[in-house]
Amino acid sequence: MYDLAIIGGGIVGLSTAMAIGQRFPKARIVVIEKESNWAYHQTGNNSGVIHSGIYYKPGSFKAKFCRDGSRSMVEFCQQHDIAYEVCGKVIVATEKEQLPILENLYTRGLENNLKVTKLPCEQVKEIEPHVSCIAGLKVFTTGIVDYKQVCQKYADIVQSLGGELRLNTKVEKIRSLGENQVLETNQGVFETRFVINCAGLYSDRVALLARVDPQAKIVPFRGEYYELTPEKRYLVNTLIYPVPNPDFPFLGVHFTKMIDGSVHAGPNAVLSFKREGYKKTDFDLRDFTEVMTYPGFWKLAAKHADEGIQEIVRSFSKAAFLHSLQKLIPEVRAEDIVPTHAGVRAQALRNDGALVDDFLIVQGKNSIHVCNAPSPAATSSLEIGKAIAQAIPEQQHLQVKARV
Ligand SMILES: Cc1cc2nc3c(=O)[nH]c(=O)nc-3n(C[C@H](O)[C@H](O)[C@H](O)COP(=O)(O)OP(=O)(O)OC[C@H]3O[C@@H](n4cnc5c(N)ncnc54)[C@H](O)[C@@H]3O)c2cc1C
């Protein structure tokens, strides 16, 4: 019998478990993860960037949690001796038409209280000598880290607070038993007073298992990366981003210096035919059929047909991917990049074809469901976890309230 069960051992589930353990030291907590290790999906396959929060609408959860989260992530790394670097990043305009969007980003950065400076091309080149651009922005607080290491530390802390950690345990059904809920898994049943769903790519399905309709469906978008060969790493000093398409939640392929010294290029954003489909050929009939029969998908596809086709071309053609990279660094050649890992983003989509822009946290009776936690949720994880832990005492049916 548990007070709280957290489904999902990615960065959001583990940070939530940690925040709950700190807030309710006497609560019996269990984290249930279906894979053999933490951070196996989105968290372990991301770009490793501590985002500053420049892109997000002022007042949104993303803007607030990212700005505060980037600070708390750096403090957490300092406190626990996890390698990180606040190296800053540049966003560069390569075409005249992008200048108004770059200007808007600058204004947004200021509105979000970030340290950001406009740079003429010559000054961008002082930071990134190989870049081609007509103007740029420097964002000072962007950093890099290995989120797998961060997750391992979160898990250690959860355990040290008395939380139970269960790997290789998949939640298959959720049923009510009086005021409690019973999670049926491949490793037996777990009875709990409260459920927190942090199941990432399966968060909508887990919500439905708990009879909560998130009013959105997860659509998986694969992000594929190339890596610069070691001899060409000198082409990138920090992080180099293009001006993003403001209608799209993805940032465009960019160069990222990783904390291990390698340089990754990507990710693109291509519809995946399987929720955890890391290869181009991965296919799952249920996942595919669900997307293809969802009215929201076709409305989205009609609106963004051109971008969708370009992404597919860029996924299958190294030349097309290279072409996007050469807009930022013209001297990159095909032989300088080799394919590396891919990640799959869990992006929630509404029935009307609108991509859910902000983090989406849905409350049920005796449950909370994190139904949209795409980028920058890794950066924001400590703040998301704290916010969920704060929301728990408001639940009328939670017994741990009385035990605190
Ligand atoms: C390509 C890519 C690049 C990104 N880059 C960045 C970046 O640089 N910076 C940043 O801040 N963010 C980035 N993000 C976003 C960030 O990685 C995610 O927002 C974050 O990892 C979400 O964490 P999560 O815990 O919600 O999901 P996940 O990490 O996917 O964890 C969910 C977990 O739930 C488990 N699960 C699912 N169903 C069940 C079940 N039924 N029973 C038990 N367990 C279950 C899964 O196995 C999984 O481990 C990126 C994402 C991608 C895909």
Side-chain angles (χ1 to χ4, degrees):
M1 177 71 196
Y2 297 91
D3 292 306
L4 293 121
I6 293 117
I7 305 171
I11 201 160
V12 174
L14 289 166
S15 70
T16 300
M18 187 171 73
I20 291 171
Q22 283 158 347
R23 190 161 166 75
F24 303 114
K26 292 183 186 154
R28 285 159 297 176
I29 300 169
V30 61
V31 182
I32 299 175
E33 165 56 50
K34 67 181 165 62
E35 305 292 351
S36 55
N37 224 326
W38 312 112
Y40 201 88
H41 288 290
Q42 294 179 89
T43 306
N45 294 298
N46 68 20
S47 301
V49 176
I50 305 175
H51 285 293
S52 63
I54 190 170
Y55 300 104
Y56 316 114
K57 210 163 139 193
S60 63
F61 286 124
K62 276 189 179 176
K64 181 173 168 17
F65 288 165
C66 186
R67 192 192 53 230
D68 297 349
S70 59
R71 274 189 222 130
S72 44
M73 182 58 67
V74 165
E75 280 165 20
F76 185 86
C77 292
Q78 287 168 345
Q79 213 178 336
H80 296 285
D81 216 11
I82 295 171
Y84 76 97
E85 188 186 338
V86 179
C87 51
K89 79 171 182 183
V90 291
I91 305 174
V92 295
T94 51
E95 291 157 22
K96 237 166 106 188
E97 298 72 55
Q98 295 172 337
L99 291 175
I101 310 172
L102 193 71
E103 185 65 33
N104 288 345
L105 270 180
Y106 173 70
T107 311
R108 190 159 267 195
L110 297 181
E111 284 168 351
N112 284 331
N113 291 319
L114 299 175
K115 191 174 171 209
V116 46
T117 315
K118 287 197 246 187
L119 299 178
C121 186
E122 311 79 69
Q123 284 182 26
V124 174
K125 280 177 173 290
E126 284 171 19
I127 306 166
E128 296 292 350
H130 303 277
V131 155
S132 158
C133 66
I134 52 176
L137 293 182
K138 161 108 183 174
V139 188
F140 288 81
T141 48
T142 306
I144 49 175
V145 71
D146 177 352
Y147 284 114
K148 279 192 201 161
Q149 278 185 27
V150 172
C151 276
Q152 189 53 57
K153 185 49 78 178
Y154 287 177
D156 294 347
I157 295 174
V158 172
Q159 208 159 27
S160 71
L161 292 167
E164 209 175 296
L165 300 174
R166 292 295 188 102
L167 290 166
N168 300 307
T169 308
K170 181 177 180 188
V171 174
E172 289 163 344
K173 278 188 189 151
I174 303 177
R175 61 185 159 83
S176 300
L177 186 67
E179 286 296 314
N180 295 340
Q181 307 198 53
V182 177
L183 310 183
E184 293 185 9
T185 77
N186 57 337
Q187 306 280 354
V189 295
F190 293 75
E191 191 176 338
T192 177
R193 294 201 163 99
F194 201 90
V195 171
I196 301 175
N197 161 15
C198 302
L201 283 152
Y202 288 98
S203 54
D204 55 342
R205 286 194 197 157
V206 170
L208 290 172
L209 289 182
R211 296 161 298 286
V212 169
D213 182 358
Q215 311 258 312
K217 189 173 283 300
I218 292 294
V219 176
F221 286 95
R222 189 171 49 253
E224 295 154 332
Y225 294 84
Y226 283 84
E227 185 178 358
L228 284 184
T229 56
E231 310 78 62
K232 293 290 172 166
R233 287 179 185 167
Y234 71 87
L235 292 174
V236 175
N237 289 329
T238 59
L239 301 107
I240 305 167
Y241 283 68
V243 172
N245 173 349
D247 298 331
F248 232 49
F250 311 122
L251 302 180
V253 293
H254 48 268
F255 289 95
T256 309
K257 182 174 82 159
M258 308 295 281
I259 197 69
D260 66 1
S262 60
V263 176
H264 286 196
N268 58 3
V270 63
L271 179 71
S272 173
F273 295 152
K274 186 177 175 188
R275 290 199 181 203
E276 291 169 353
Y278 294 96
K279 296 199 292 276
K280 295 184 210 314
T281 48
D282 278 345
F283 180 85
D284 178 276
L285 187 59
R286 178 175 174 195
D287 293 350
F288 176 74
T289 312
E290 257 190 19
V291 172
M292 292 299 143
T293 54
Y294 186 53
F297 171 72
W298 291 106
K299 288 174 196 152
L300 176 78
K303 235 182 335 185
H304 292 293
D306 285 353
E307 288 97 336
I309 291 164
Q310 273 174 31
E311 288 292 359
I312 293 168
V313 171
R314 204 160 51 176
S315 171
F316 282 94
S317 157
K318 183 176 178 181
F321 204 108
L322 180 68
H323 182 67
S324 301
L325 297 177
Q326 284 173 330
K327 285 187 184 163
L328 300 173
I329 301 186
E331 66 196 89
V332 180
R333 296 281 165 267
E335 58 274 21
D336 302 336
I337 56 171
V338 286
T340 176
H341 75 283
V344 183
R345 306 171 182 86
Q347 173 62 52
L349 177 66
R350 300 268 187 210
N351 202 24
D352 64 1
L355 291 165
V356 178
D357 191 33
D358 210 352
F359 297 141
L360 174 66
I361 298 175
V362 180
Q363 299 224 351
K365 185 187 171 216
N366 296 346
S367 61
I368 291 178
H369 303 265
V370 180
C371 293
N372 194 51
S375 186
T379 304
S380 316
S381 55
L382 288 161
E383 304 305 316
I384 297 175
K386 275 188 253 168
I388 294 174
Q390 288 293 339
I392 287 168
E394 288 155 26
Q395 304 297 315
Q396 291 172 5
H397 303 277
L398 189 65
Q399 300 302 307
V400 286
K401 209 165 58 164
R403 291 152 39 91
V404 173

